[in-house]
Amino acid sequence: MSVSSLSEEHTQLILDGTKIAWHQDRVQAWLRGERVAPITIDMALTRACNFGCHYCYAMMQENERYPITKQVMMDFLDDCAELGVKAISLVSDGESTISPVFVDSVIRGSELGISMAVGTNAYVLTEHKLRQVMPHLTYLRVNITAGERARYAEIMGVKEAYFDQVVQNIRDMVRIKKELGLKTTIGLQMVLMPQYEDQILPLAMLGKELRPDYLVIKHCSDNEDGFLGVDYAGYKPMYDKLREAEALSDDEYKVVVKWSKIEAEGKRSYQRCYGPPFMIQLSGSGLVAPCGMLFNEKYKKFHIGNITQERFKDIVRGDRYWEVMNYLASPDFNAQKMCGSLCLQHKVNEYLDGVMKGEIEPRAPGGTPPEHLNFV
C-alpha cells in the first residue's frame, strides 16, 4: 500500500513513497545543473536520548558533539527560510523533544513559513508542551515499537512505567487536536525487526483504541556491515500478520505497512545517490552530511560542515557541499556496495534514478496533491 487515504475526501498521506514529483521547479533546476536548496531537512536538536531502543541506528552515528543553542537554531531557521527550504522534520539521531530549544524551534520555524514536524518517543511530550507545539506542527509521529507494557520496556530500553506515560501522552495529543480543531496529523510508527513479530497485532489494536490518524509499520535499516543484525529474509513469514494488522484500519485510523521497503529485503535497484540535494540530514551535533548513514566519524570524507560553527546558507552555497553531492551522484560511488540498507532518501533516489535513466518523465502528477507535500 503506497498511499493511505485517511478519509473518503481528498486527504491523502503518502507513507510508502515520495512526493518529490510535485516539486518539479526544484527537480528541473537540478537537471539543469543548478545548485538547489533542500526541499526537506531531517535533523535532530541533540544527540542525546532518554531511551535505549535496541533497533536504534543512532548508536552507529557517533560524531564529535557540539551543542545546538537557541541562537544557532534561530540563525539556522532564518537561513532555511532565505534558501527556500520548505520543511524540517525533527527526527534524525537524537530525541529533539528533550532539547531546551525544541519548543522555540518549532514555533519559529512555523512562523517563518516552514512546515515543521517531529518524530519522537513522546515521553516528555506532556499536555503543556503539546499545547505549545501542536498548532505549529504538520505532523507528530510517535516511535512506539510495542503494544504491550513489558515488551515495550524490553525493546525500547526503558522502565515499564514509560509505556504508561507515552500512552497517556498519545491520548492527550488526540484530545488536544480535537479540542483545538488542529490539522496536525498524529501518527504512530513501529520499526519492525523479525523478532518483534509478536507486537504487530497488539500495537495495531492499541492504535485502534488510542485513535491516532495512522500506524505505520516499517522495516529496520542496518549499516553496510550488518551491525544491527537485521534478518531481511525474516520479514516474509510475517506478511499474513501484517495484512491482518492492516485489516484493523477503519475510516479514521489506518494501519499502513511500508511494503515496498519490506519486500525489497534491504536491496537497492540503483547505484547513484541523487537524493541528498533535495532531502539532506543534519546530526544533533550540528553536523551537515548527505544522510544519517554517513554521520559517523569514519565517514568524515562526506562531512560538509557544522551549523554551530558556520551559517547554513554559506554551507549550502559553498563548493564543499557540492563536491560531496556531485561525488555521490558520480560513477565513483555505488550505493549498492557503499551504503547501509534502505536509507531515508531511498524512495527519492528511486524516482531520480528513473528520471536519469529516462524511465520516468519528470512532470508533476495530476489530481489533488497529497498531504504533507513539503516532506518529500
Side-chain angles (χ1 to χ4, degrees), residues 11 25 58-59 86 92 99 110 181 184 209 250 284 304 308 314 371 376:
T11 304
D25 56 339
M59 68 180 79
K86 297 182 179 183
S92 203
S99 164
S110 173
T184 310
E209 175 195 340
D250 55 44
I304 300 166
T308 69
D314 295 330
E371 295 290 296
V376 297

Side-chain angles (χ1 to χ4, degrees), residues 33 117 181 268 272 283 290 294 305 371:
R268 299 174 187 268
R272 310 286 170 263
S283 170
L294 299 175
E371 295 290 296

Side-chain angles (χ1 to χ4, degrees), residues 276-287:
F278 301 92
M279 189 180 199
I280 197 169
Q281 289 179 271
L282 273 66
S283 170
S285 68
L287 171 69

Side-chain angles (χ1 to χ4, degrees), residues 232-271:
Y232 287 106
Y235 285 114
K236 200 161 192 175
M238 297 186 284
Y239 284 6
D240 287 345
K241 191 163 288 186
L242 289 169
R243 293 189 184 96
E244 192 178 342
E246 285 183 320
L248 292 170
S249 301
D250 55 44
D251 288 345
E252 296 177 341
Y253 165 67
K254 297 297 175 185
V255 179
V256 179
V257 176
K258 283 196 172 186
W259 285 111
S260 75
K261 285 191 173 183
I262 286 176
E263 291 175 339
E265 295 186 353
K267 300 180 181 69
R268 299 174 187 268
S269 62
Y270 54 87
Q271 295 181 340

Side-chain angles (χ1 to χ4, degrees), residues 6-145:
L6 296 186
S7 72
E8 295 303 319
E9 288 77 44
H10 296 299
T11 304
Q12 288 184 322
L13 275 182
I14 294 179
L15 296 172
D16 183 18
T18 176
K19 297 177 281 291
I20 193 170
W22 280 271
H23 296 274
Q24 286 302 318
D25 56 339
R26 208 73 56 107
V27 172
Q28 294 296 333
W30 175 75
L31 288 171
R32 293 192 297 268
E34 297 177 21
R35 293 185 170 187
V36 298
I39 301 167
T40 305
I41 293 175
D42 178 283
M43 68 180 297
L45 299 175
T46 177
R47 279 281 293 136
C49 186
N50 49 352
F51 275 48
C53 303
H54 291 190
Y55 55 83
C56 185
Y57 200 94
M59 68 180 79
M60 297 180 281
Q61 295 172 303
E62 193 57 62
N63 55 80
E64 190 170 356
R65 299 191 185 196
Y66 297 93
I68 299 178
T69 64
K70 183 176 178 179
Q71 187 60 56
V72 166
M73 269 310 290
M74 296 305 106
D75 288 345
F76 172 78
L77 291 166
D78 286 345
D79 289 352
C80 286
E82 181 181 326
L83 289 166
V85 173
K86 297 182 179 183
I88 297 173
S89 55
L90 299 173
V91 186
S92 203
D93 60 343
E95 178 55 44
S96 290
T97 63
I98 65 175
S99 164
V101 304
F102 169 67
V103 173
D104 289 332
S105 297
V106 170
I107 293 172
R108 177 61 178 160
S110 173
E111 289 173 346
L112 288 168
I114 301 168
S115 300
M116 301 297 293
V118 61
T120 172
N121 58 46
Y123 182 68
V124 302
L125 281 185
T126 52
E127 181 154 354
H128 174 67
K129 193 170 283 189
L130 286 169
R131 288 186 178 277
Q132 290 178 289
V133 298
M134 281 187 66
H136 300 278
L137 291 172
T138 300
Y139 71 80
L140 195 171
R141 189 182 67 231
V142 180
N143 297 315
I144 176 171
T145 294

Side-chain angles (χ1 to χ4, degrees), residues 54-61 191-195 218-233 235 261 265-268 291-294 298-299 335-344 346:
H54 291 190
Y55 55 83
C56 185
Y57 200 94
M59 68 180 79
M60 297 180 281
Q61 295 172 303
V191 179
L192 179 63
M193 292 179 76
Q195 56 266 44
K218 60 166 285 186
H219 65 290
C220 182
S221 295
D222 208 343
N223 72 357
E224 66 269 33
D225 300 321
F227 179 84
L228 292 175
V230 184
D231 175 16
Y232 287 106
Y235 285 114
K261 285 191 173 183
E265 295 186 353
K267 300 180 181 69
R268 299 174 187 268
C291 71
M293 290 186 170
L294 299 175
K298 69 180 181 178
Y299 304 114
Q336 292 174 341
K337 297 178 179 178
M338 301 166 72
C339 283
S341 62
L342 305 176
C343 63
L344 182 75
H346 180 64

